[in-house]
Amino acid sequence: MKKQLRHLIAAVALVLPVAGFASEGPALEKAPINIQDTESLQRGAQTFVNYCLSCHSANAMRYNRLTDIGLSEDEIKSNLLFASDKVGDTMAVAMDKKDAKVWMGSAPPDLSVIARSRGADYLYAYMKGFYRDPSRDTGWNNLVFDNVGMPHVLWEWQGEQVLKKGKDAKGHETRSLELIKAGTLTKLENGKANTIDYDRRVADLVNYLVYMAEPAQVKRHQIGYIVLMFLTLLLLPFAYFLKKEYWKDIH
């Protein structure tokens, strides 16, 4: 019994530091995800193909799965099929991993299931968290991924942010971002940043990444609603007659 107790205490001691570490870092804003919004998914797919697919692959995703979000094969061929020849191909990249490691320090990860491994809120904060950092080779850093190796590919949309450090009421260091140069999808109005349009485009991209991590979920949700409606219509009459039979002697 004492030996088991010692093992339990040792296990708790190992878990506590991990839990404390996991609680560190900036609070993540809730990502406005809606995989039923096909227009958002289509815009996100366009952003992914044009800005992410040049470096990041999605080898578990085929172009023809985009028909699930309302795109025809002709639309896919005309607007999204830049890195391949066939609609049935996977979203691979031509960049060699060895070359990528030399150029960037490490090969860009495959993004097929990045939304499942990182979470939508993290990806949303990450794409909004880039700021200028002259000490980095790329000139960029990130609030939620310190010393990130990836440059800010959407900087023309967002503009340029800088990191602001301060202290809260308890004396703890705070880190926030300030937009100093507007982009094509942001504005500086009376010294305040308006990033609504950029935030929407990032939300579309993250929405697509969530869909891509499990493309079947769109149809699965649709089928689930149909099944629930069917069961409701099927069971409601039985429930009604059962109620009448149960209460007939009382009334």
Side-chain angles (χ1 to χ4, degrees), residues 20-234:
F21 178 79
S23 65
E24 295 179 358
L28 300 180
E29 180 182 355
K30 184 68 176 177
I33 300 303
N34 179 12
I35 59 170
Q36 301 299 328
D37 187 346
T38 55
E39 291 185 359
S40 171
L41 292 175
Q42 291 171 9
R43 291 191 297 268
Q46 184 182 38
T47 301
F48 178 79
V49 169
N50 283 284
Y51 290 91
C52 305
L53 196 56
S54 55
C55 297
H56 295 276
S57 61
N59 289 320
M61 180 69 178
R62 296 186 182 276
Y63 288 95
N64 56 10
R65 290 306 302 263
L66 298 178
T67 56
D68 293 345
I69 60 174
L71 295 174
S72 66
E73 290 195 359
D74 288 337
E75 289 174 328
I76 295 171
K77 290 178 181 177
S78 301
N79 303 313
L80 301 175
L81 202 64
F82 305 133
S84 186
D85 299 322
K86 300 178 181 178
V87 178
D89 289 343
T90 59
M91 291 184 168
V93 292
M95 182 185 298
D96 184 82
K97 288 186 177 181
K98 293 181 180 179
D99 292 336
K101 191 171 183 178
V102 172
W103 299 334
M104 304 179 186
S106 62
D110 184 275
L111 298 182
S112 300
V113 293
I114 191 67
R116 296 185 68 178
S117 63
R118 287 290 190 174
D121 296 346
Y122 176 89
L123 296 175
Y124 187 61
Y126 175 78
M127 293 307 302
K128 293 172 59 177
F130 281 93
Y131 63 90
R132 278 292 184 187
D133 186 351
S135 68
R136 303 295 299 160
D137 293 337
T138 62
W140 297 96
N141 209 330
N142 195 285
L143 188 63
V144 298
F145 191 152
D146 195 30
N147 295 329
V148 65
M150 173 181 161
H152 189 11
V153 294
L154 301 181
W155 74 270
E156 292 182 331
W157 286 359
Q158 186 183 29
E160 297 184 19
Q161 299 184 121
V162 292
L163 181 66
K164 294 290 185 179
K165 295 182 179 180
K167 297 284 185 179
D168 61 14
K170 296 182 179 180
H172 299 148
E173 183 181 90
T174 60
R175 288 153 53 92
S176 61
L177 298 178
E178 179 183 349
L179 185 70
I180 59 170
K181 183 178 180 181
T184 56
L185 295 181
T186 58
K187 299 177 182 178
L188 284 171
E189 302 171 336
N190 299 322
K192 295 183 178 180
N194 183 338
T195 64
I196 294 175
D197 292 335
Y198 177 75
D199 293 349
R200 286 173 179 166
R201 293 302 293 268
V202 170
D204 292 338
L205 174 60
V206 176
N207 202 24
Y208 171 74
L209 292 174
V210 171
Y211 156 76
M212 184 172 65
E214 191 180 354
Q217 63 184 305
V218 176
K219 285 190 173 180
R220 190 181 72 243
H221 287 185
Q222 294 171 347
I223 293 172
Y225 294 137
I226 294 172
V227 170
L228 289 174
M229 290 176 62
F230 173 77
L231 291 175
T232 301
L233 294 175
L234 180 66

